[in-house]
Amino acid sequence: MDLLIPEIGLIFWHTVSFLILLFLLTKFAWKPVLKAIKERENNIQNALDSAEKAKLEMARLTNENEQLLKQAREERDNILKEAKVLKDKIVAEAKEHAQVEGAKLIDQARREIEDQKTKALAEVKNQVSSLSLDIARKVLAKEFEDQGKQEALVSDLLKDVKLN
């Protein structure tokens, strides 16, 4: 049982050595340990702050990217609308130009047809008059071959003519 009950001297020296150890630990080890813990705490806080900043930056960049995408879509839509308007305008101009050219060609063809028709009619008239003159010459030549017929024709013509 003596081992279970310590003596006063032993308790005193244990207390003194504990206090010296406590003093030495406080003086030399406690401050560096607290300093290391404080640095660790600051590093963790800085990492959390950096993570928060990175999160905010990512949110800002995401928002900015969405705005850029929206703007790009709007520009694309505007370009497509302008292209469609331009295409419609070009098609309309081409149709109008084609109609004008077609009308010019039709008018030119009509004038050519009229000219050809007029020339053909003039040629037919010339041929008819030429044929008529040839026929009349031949008929008159045949009629005037006989002298008696000539005199009868002259006398008939003279009867029709009245002198004033």
Side-chain angles (χ1 to χ4, degrees):
M1 250 332 185
D2 282 341
L3 289 174
L4 292 179
I5 301 176
E7 291 182 16
I8 292 279
L10 185 62
I11 291 176
F12 172 75
W13 286 113
H14 274 134
T15 304
V16 168
S17 64
F18 178 73
L19 288 176
I20 290 172
L21 181 65
L22 184 64
F23 173 75
L24 288 174
L25 284 176
T26 304
K27 179 88 173 167
F28 297 108
W30 190 255
K31 287 183 182 178
V33 168
L34 284 179
K35 184 178 176 184
I37 290 174
K38 190 70 168 173
E39 284 179 13
R40 176 98 170 130
E41 186 178 298
N42 286 338
N43 286 340
I44 291 172
Q45 187 61 42
N46 288 340
L48 288 174
D49 290 343
S50 294
E52 187 64 30
K53 284 180 185 177
K55 181 180 174 185
L56 292 174
E57 183 68 17
M58 284 299 290
R60 185 186 66 80
L61 288 175
T62 302
N63 188 21
E64 201 173 287
N65 285 341
E66 287 175 5
Q67 290 287 29
L68 287 174
L69 283 173
K70 183 179 177 184
Q71 186 178 5
R73 285 185 188 116
E74 289 174 359
E75 287 179 17
R76 181 200 64 201
D77 291 343
N78 287 338
I79 289 170
L80 288 175
K81 285 178 186 176
E82 288 175 8
K84 184 177 182 206
V85 167
L86 184 60
K87 177 199 71 139
D88 291 343
K89 181 180 175 185
I90 290 171
V91 167
E93 286 176 359
K95 282 182 182 178
E96 183 179 326
H97 183 68
Q99 287 176 348
V100 167
E101 287 297 317
K104 284 180 183 178
L105 289 174
I106 289 172
D107 286 343
Q108 184 179 1
R110 283 185 185 147
R111 283 193 299 266
E112 260 185 56
I113 290 170
E114 269 310 306
D115 289 345
Q116 293 296 327
K117 182 179 169 184
T118 304
K119 286 178 184 177
L121 285 175
E123 190 175 325
V124 167
K125 284 180 184 177
N126 286 339
Q127 287 179 356
V128 166
S129 63
S130 176
L131 287 174
S132 296
L133 285 174
D134 285 343
I135 291 172
R137 265 192 226 127
K138 288 180 183 178
V139 167
L140 284 175
K142 192 150 189 126
E143 284 291 321
F144 289 127
E145 283 180 356
D146 187 16
Q147 188 67 23
K149 286 183 181 178
Q150 283 181 9
E151 288 175 3
L153 181 63
V154 170
S155 63
D156 283 341
L157 287 174
L158 285 176
K159 286 180 191 174
D160 289 340
V161 176
K162 295 179 183 174
L163 294 173
N164 288 349

